[in-house]
Amino acid sequence: MSTPVVTNKWAGIFDCGTCRRKRLMGDEFSKKALERHRRDGAALKCKTCVADAEQAERTKAAAKRASSNTGVNMSETNETRACTGTCGKTLPQSSYNRNQWSKGDGKSRCRECVERAVQAESANQKNSNDDKIMAARKKVEDIKKTGNTVKLVAAESELAALEAEKVTGLKPVKLSAGRGRYRGKGR
């Protein structure tokens, strides 16, 4: 007899501890947060809440910079560097955060370029997952027209795996043929 299945490990019954939204799918949370939740039972924080907290932190840092700019000595403000991001402008040190400025000339990006890159990356990731599901659905429809049942089952399995990953946040595990009973013991 096999062990009973524990459904709370794979069903997408996740709740955000910050905004209190309930019954969220796994793709609403980062992979790291889901791993920590499964391992330790830690409270989850959805991607929206994380993005809001990051934006609030950036706004607070900008306000702090603006208020502290009056007391900055002139040697700091005269130093400029070319941004290697999309803008390519030569900007003063105040336009870079500490981490980017420490990377040195030719490697640092200004605050605006970093912000645009973060937004583009999150949009790309969301669109990528949705595009994979749409491509799998189209593949299933195309194979249905041919009537090949073997390929249809394989395509539907791929689609089911992508949809399950979206709901649960777990990637599918591909089982190998294994080391079966008769694997050639020197016969």
Side-chain angles (χ1 to χ4, degrees):
M1 196 109 205
S2 65
T3 355
V5 177
V6 180
T7 57
N8 65 355
K9 293 287 185 191
W10 52 269
I13 52 169
F14 302 114
D15 302 334
C16 177
T18 306
C19 64
R20 302 287 187 217
R21 291 188 300 155
K22 305 239 183 257
R23 298 182 55 119
L24 299 175
M25 292 192 290
D27 69 342
E28 292 279 337
F29 304 94
S30 69
K31 181 187 273 188
K32 197 79 163 176
L34 288 173
E35 288 173 0
R36 197 176 321 115
H37 175 70
R38 287 189 182 99
R39 186 182 62 236
D40 305 331
L44 287 170
K45 192 174 188 180
C46 67
K47 289 179 182 177
T48 307
C49 292
V50 170
D52 291 345
E54 287 174 353
Q55 184 60 39
E57 186 177 340
R58 282 191 289 274
T59 305
K60 185 179 174 184
K64 184 177 179 182
R65 261 191 330 276
S67 67
S68 68
N69 272 350
T70 57
V72 174
N73 60 14
M74 293 308 284
S75 65
E76 271 185 38
T77 58
N78 290 339
E79 205 171 344
T80 61
R81 184 176 290 171
C83 175
T84 58
T86 55
C87 73
K89 298 177 184 174
T90 301
L91 300 166
Q93 182 177 359
S94 61
S95 297
Y96 297 87
N97 64 26
R98 193 179 320 131
N99 183 29
Q100 289 294 325
W101 186 260
S102 68
K103 289 183 178 183
D105 202 12
K107 295 182 181 175
S108 54
R109 297 182 293 171
C110 65
R111 284 188 177 93
E112 288 79 20
C113 289
V114 170
E115 181 68 28
R116 274 188 247 123
V118 166
Q119 289 173 353
E121 182 183 346
S122 65
N124 269 349
Q125 185 179 15
K126 181 165 177 40
N127 291 340
S128 171
N129 292 340
D130 292 341
D131 289 346
K132 284 180 186 176
I133 290 175
M134 292 305 295
R137 286 184 180 151
K138 184 177 180 344
K139 184 177 177 182
V140 167
E141 291 302 318
D142 291 345
I143 293 174
K144 278 183 181 177
K145 292 175 186 173
T146 64
N148 188 340
T149 56
V150 173
K151 288 184 179 180
L152 179 62
V153 169
E156 285 181 340
S157 297
E158 183 181 335
L159 175 61
L162 289 171
E163 289 174 342
E165 181 181 348
K166 181 177 182 170
V167 173
T168 64
L170 296 173
K171 288 200 179 263
V173 177
K174 292 184 180 181
L175 300 175
S176 65
R179 297 167 49 129
R181 188 170 178 177
Y182 303 105
R183 57 184 175 134
K185 297 181 183 178
R187 291 187 203 172

